[in-house]
Amino acid sequence: MTKPNEPLSQPAPSPAIDDATMDDAIAWYLKLKDASVTQHDQQAFNAWLQQSPLHHFAYQEAKQLWQDIEAPIRLFHLQQSATPSKRRNERPWGWAVAALCMLGLLLSLELWREPANWDRLTADAVTTPGQMKQLLLADGSSLLLDGNSALDIEFDETYRGLTLRRGRLWVDVTQDAQLPFTITAGEASIKVIGTHFAVMHSTDSVTVPVAEGQVAITDSQGHQALLGGGKQVALINGELGPVSPVALPVALGWKEGRVVFDDAGMSEIVAQLERMLPGRLLLDTHAFSDVRLSGSFPVDQPEALLSALTHVSDIEVHRLPGDLLWLRTG
């Protein structure tokens, strides 16, 4: 028994699992369930598990998630197969509780499957995958919001500000020396007077390429970088990287309706596909770490990009219910 003054032990809190690790875990769970799984696949999975304790937690979460998806079907089957006498004896609130549990599960699954949905409900300006939107602000500045993006707008007589919650944004700022223009994206704060530049905000990074003018970018630690035309900087996990030259036709091709890759890796390709397609892409990023792709593709033709992927590497595209795409080795 616990002594009167002895504190009760509390369960250790579950670790925070980032989206990329969770996606890897789900991809592994699906791979191991597939009838074509090989001994080599099992060895690769064991190696992935050993890379980090977080991978163990993520895999268990993925396993539970996919098992719980079957719960509404099982509950529905039990309801339909119950005898009339049993149904009369059931408490009237029993199925209401079950329905609430099902609703909570389905909402959680929907937010995982389409994490932008919350932003689309609450942001000032949003786009769906494959959609671009032009905006004209009160001061005459113009914006182009790329697919699968969300933006908050805050303008008054003393402040011009935007918050890019997710996605990609092109900005053509009207010059006003007395009223700087501020954009927040993740942990990056970008201040300009008048210029043309873009901001790309993904899960753990923010990238800013500048076409013309000058912008000042500050990270979460207060470090600042000053960028001129033809330069870009990236913040990874809130920290500024080095300023580097940028190939503007590649970085800004999307605003002209083209996706341009120059020896792009799989993470960049997947980020672009999720701007073009609804739902999520599942894959083992380590299995495709050597995939590189160069080329130009229309932003409204994701199938052309998927087809190019299958031609340059050993990738198969499997379509799952709920707008999920599973990319796996052939």
Side-chain angles (χ1 to χ4, degrees), residues 8-159:
L8 294 174
S9 60
Q10 297 293 328
S14 299
I17 303 172
D18 60 272
D19 288 346
T21 300
M22 192 64 191
D23 287 348
D24 286 349
I26 292 175
W28 274 117
Y29 181 71
L30 292 174
K31 179 187 282 287
L32 296 179
K33 282 174 62 70
D34 195 276
S36 64
V37 65
T38 65
Q39 185 176 0
H40 176 74
D41 292 333
Q42 185 65 56
Q43 292 171 347
F45 168 68
N46 291 337
W48 177 79
L49 276 184
Q50 298 305 315
Q51 288 174 5
S52 169
L54 191 62
H55 291 181
H56 288 268
F57 287 103
Y59 184 77
Q60 291 304 315
E61 289 286 330
K63 182 178 179 180
Q64 187 64 51
L65 172 66
W66 284 93
Q67 289 176 347
D68 285 349
I69 291 172
E70 300 172 356
I73 299 174
R74 292 198 301 269
L75 286 170
F76 180 77
H77 174 72
L78 288 173
Q79 183 183 29
Q80 295 301 309
S81 61
T83 63
S85 60
K86 285 184 178 180
R87 284 199 293 267
R88 282 194 299 269
N89 292 331
E90 286 174 351
R91 290 172 177 165
W93 45 262
W95 279 105
V97 173
L100 287 174
C101 292
M102 290 166 59
L103 178 62
L105 168 66
L106 293 174
L107 286 174
S108 298
L109 176 63
E110 178 64 15
L111 286 175
W112 172 84
R113 186 190 66 81
E114 192 63 80
N117 279 345
W118 177 251
D119 290 332
R120 292 181 191 137
L121 289 172
T122 59
D124 293 326
V126 295
T127 54
T128 57
Q131 175 195 28
M132 289 198 291
K133 180 181 291 186
Q134 289 185 321
L135 301 169
L136 183 64
L137 301 181
D139 68 339
S141 298
S142 60
L143 313 175
L144 179 63
L145 202 58
D146 197 9
N148 199 22
S149 300
L151 182 72
D152 289 332
I153 303 170
E154 185 179 353
F155 263 58
D156 57 32
E157 295 80 4
T158 61
Y159 183 75

Side-chain angles (χ1 to χ4, degrees), residues 127 217 240:
T127 54
I217 304 171
L240 271 170

